[in-house]
Amino acid sequence: IPRRDRKLNALIKAATPMRYRKGRVLYRQGEPSPLVLLVRDGHVRLTLPKTGNDASRIVGIAGPKELLGLEAVTLGVPRRYTAIAGSPCTVLPLSGPAVFKALRASPKTLSQFLRSSDHDLAEARLISLSSGFSSKARIADVLLDLAYRFGVDDGRRIRLDHWFTHQELADLAGAHRSTVTTAINDWIYDGMLKQFPGGLIINKPGTLRKAGTEASRKRKRKVVTR
């Protein structure tokens, strides 16, 4: 949110922080959507029910400085997902109609908002097109996406001071949790990743992306030779 956007920043300053413990439901799919939520710290899982099953799967993550519940900007649209605290987190509740008015009043912020939405759509298309890639390639893409969004990049490595569970990574990548664990252990052994309490360092982002691509190529060659 641009610093000079007085209306949106006034909304943020006036908001009363809401604290959630891990596992707490912020809202459920199908409920009314009066509020847009701005994540201040921690992260929130966006989930959908699995087909023919009461369990749910994670389809998105919202972290610090990111908005969720944007259905509230359009009046009368119910919640599309169930939002669950993936870690202890703090969010700022913003009135949906007030956010809508603020966006209309600030062309610069509206432009950034639309660019962000376009990016989200592009990421969704990329995920849908990557179903034929190897699990390792998809896991590498998910790790890098989270690292670039929430980590600190010094040009050589990315430090991610917040850890995501292997199940969260598995759901986002469309892989099994055991596959995520094996891939991360392999990359730690190869020196591409380094774990520390509560976080992760990607020592070689380019090499990690290449490793995922190579895994996909090997998988495709095996399919072709059968």
Side-chain angles (χ1 to χ4, degrees):
I1 298 174
R3 293 180 180 178
R4 294 182 182 180
D5 191 322
R6 295 180 180 177
K7 289 191 175 182
L8 271 181
N9 280 297
L11 287 176
I12 292 170
K13 288 180 180 178
T16 301
M18 301 169 66
R19 185 75 177 170
Y20 293 91
R21 65 179 183 273
K22 183 177 179 179
R24 180 77 180 273
V25 175
L26 281 67
Y27 56 77
R28 297 185 184 278
Q29 184 184 26
E31 289 181 348
S33 53
L35 299 172
V36 175
L37 302 178
L38 174 64
V39 182
R40 194 168 74 177
D41 58 64
H43 74 274
V44 178
R45 304 167 179 165
L46 301 177
T47 70
L48 286 174
K50 290 182 178 178
T51 305
N53 198 319
D54 290 333
S56 62
R57 70 186 189 279
I58 301 164
V59 296
I61 293 285
K65 299 183 180 180
E66 293 190 335
L67 296 170
L68 69 150
L70 291 171
E71 307 92 342
V73 175
T74 305
L75 297 179
V77 177
R79 295 297 191 192
R80 296 189 180 96
Y81 311 99
T82 294
I84 302 172
S87 67
C89 64
T90 305
V91 300
L92 300 176
L94 311 174
S95 163
V99 171
F100 177 72
K101 290 179 181 178
L103 288 172
R104 288 187 62 187
S106 175
K108 184 175 180 180
T109 303
L110 178 60
S111 177
Q112 290 191 358
F113 175 79
L114 294 175
R115 281 201 302 271
S116 176
S117 297
D118 286 343
H119 173 76
D120 290 345
L121 287 172
E123 287 294 322
R125 293 190 190 102
L126 180 63
I127 291 170
S128 67
L129 292 172
S130 67
S131 58
F133 293 175
S134 72
S135 296
K136 257 194 167 182
R138 298 197 302 272
I139 294 164
D141 281 342
V142 167
L143 266 178
L144 288 168
D145 174 59
L146 294 172
Y148 284 122
R149 284 162 60 194
F150 308 125
V152 178
D153 184 359
D154 67 2
R156 298 179 58 190
R157 58 181 61 86
I158 307 172
R159 181 185 176 94
L160 185 58
D161 288 315
H162 184 82
W163 182 243
F164 298 93
T165 68
H166 287 190
Q167 187 60 58
E168 288 171 335
L169 299 176
D171 280 5
L172 293 172
H176 293 291
R177 184 173 62 181
S178 59
T179 306
V180 172
T181 301
T182 300
I184 288 178
N185 287 338
D186 287 346
W187 291 330
I188 290 174
Y189 180 80
D190 292 337
M192 285 183 278
L193 302 180
K194 180 181 179 181
Q195 274 187 291
F196 61 90
L200 182 75
I201 295 174
I202 301 179
N203 287 318
K204 305 171 184 177
T207 306
L208 178 60
R209 191 178 296 280
K210 184 178 178 182
T213 304
E214 288 298 325
S216 288
R217 288 175 180 170
K218 290 178 182 178
R219 180 176 181 273
K220 289 178 181 179
R221 282 199 292 270
K222 287 180 181 179
V223 171
V224 170
T225 54
R226 286 180 182 175

